[in-house]
Amino acid sequence: MPLALAHRNWRPVCAAGVAVGVVVAAAGCGTSGVSPSHADVVNGKKLFAGKATCGSCHTLQRAGTKGTQGPNLDAAFVNARNNGFGDSAIAGVVLDQIHHPRRGSIMPAGLVKGQDAEDVAAYVGSVAGKTGKDTGLLAQVGTTNNASKTAVEKGGKLTIPADPTGALAYEFGKATATAGKVTISMPNQAPIQHDISIQGDGKGPVVGTGGTSTFTTTLKPGTYTFLCTVPGHAQAGMKGTLTVK
Ligand code: HEC
């Protein structure tokens, strides 16, 4: 059982509020809280998997995120769902966590605010602990076609920018270079920190928005993996294949 939910009693209906706060009490009792019908779950999913960086710490099957620094949100809410808690009650818990993470938690408070926070909470509430796949518009969120694009080295320089939307991806899923000395650069316009490395062959520094992670290495012909070494990012898809000829 994930740490934070271990102390949480999902029965009787309003007890969850005692453990985690007023918002949940309201949601759990069905009076207010997050109303999925007023929330934009497409925006919520975009934020969860992208800019708000929730997915870089949390696994959520439907969102396709595989972060491991925080609890797996499907595992965290599957019991609640089985005990009869609906989407909006779960969304209430998520909203409360967004506003009030445990003091000292690595999860920063207020990553998303106002309506954005409600949208993220409503999305998580509508999918956490459920199997299957998102459908319709939701299915298109987070599917970049970066993976099929190829970055080409020119004059010993290979540039592979981070996806600026905050999705855990580079703008290219493939790269090619000629053997020899090559300088690899990753301009980062994303709202989160990233780096670039070549597995077994050096890495650039972790940089925030506006920075460029860069390093120079000498490559022999072969196939390499380039990836972001920030925990959870490569697992979530921030990696690609470099072919050196
Ligand atoms: C830097 C990593 C990090 C980020 C980013 C992050 N979280 Fe968390 N989250 C955690 C950790 C660690 C916990 C475990 C409890 C704690 O420390 O407060 C947690 C707990 C939670 C919980 C409670 C789960 C449980 O088992 O009770 C929810 C819900 C949650 N996060 C949702 C989110 C959402 C939504 C976002 C984005 C707005 C987000 N988190 C962003 C690390 C993160």
Side-chain angles (χ1 to χ4, degrees):
M1 174 152 256
L3 48 159
L5 272 192
H7 62 268
R8 216 176 260 166
N9 180 2
W10 286 94
R11 275 163 297 163
V13 176
C14 293
V18 178
V20 294
V22 194
V23 177
V24 182
C29 297
T31 47
S32 65
V34 177
S35 160
S37 57
H38 296 300
D40 178 351
V41 289
V42 170
N43 182 47
K45 183 180 186 181
K46 269 186 201 149
L47 289 165
F48 185 94
K51 235 182 356 191
T53 73
C54 317
S56 67
C57 287
H58 292 287
T59 293
L60 183 63
Q61 186 266 127
R62 290 280 195 109
T65 63
K66 300 191 173 118
T68 55
Q69 285 174 284
N72 175 315
L73 295 182
D74 293 308
F77 292 109
V78 73
N79 284 339
R81 213 175 268 296
N82 291 342
N83 286 335
F85 281 81
D87 292 359
S88 83
I90 294 173
V93 175
V94 177
L95 187 62
D96 191 56
Q97 172 74 20
I98 291 172
H99 292 320
H100 311 289
R102 178 180 59 81
R103 191 183 292 269
S105 175
I106 58 163
M107 176 166 160
L111 276 172
V112 274
K113 300 190 165 67
Q115 187 62 44
D116 279 348
E118 299 218 357
D119 292 349
V120 169
Y123 173 68
V124 177
S126 70
V127 302
K130 285 187 186 168
T131 53
K133 284 187 173 155
D134 282 351
T135 53
L137 264 183
L138 275 177
Q140 282 156 38
V141 176
T143 51
T144 65
N145 54 0
N146 296 0
S148 58
K149 293 186 195 155
T150 304
V152 179
E153 168 260 330
K154 278 190 202 99
K157 290 188 165 59
L158 179 63
T159 304
I160 305 174
D163 188 310
T165 65
L168 296 176
Y170 294 113
E171 282 188 24
F172 299 94
K174 297 177 199 161
T176 59
T178 42
K181 204 170 161 186
V182 55
T183 298
I184 297 169
S185 298
M186 183 221 56
N188 185 16
Q189 291 303 330
I192 33 180
Q193 294 194 324
H194 294 302
D195 66 10
I196 192 162
S197 70
I198 290 189
Q199 215 159 37
D201 246 297
K203 90 173 208 57
V206 173
V207 296
T209 314
T212 298
S213 182
T214 184
F215 68 101
T216 300
T217 184
T218 302
L219 295 170
K220 294 184 185 131
T223 305
Y224 301 81
T225 298
F226 61 89
L227 58 97
C228 178
T229 69
V230 174
H233 290 194
Q235 291 90 319
M238 196 153 187
K239 61 183 173 189
T241 305
L242 167 64
T243 307
V244 178
K245 287 182 184 151

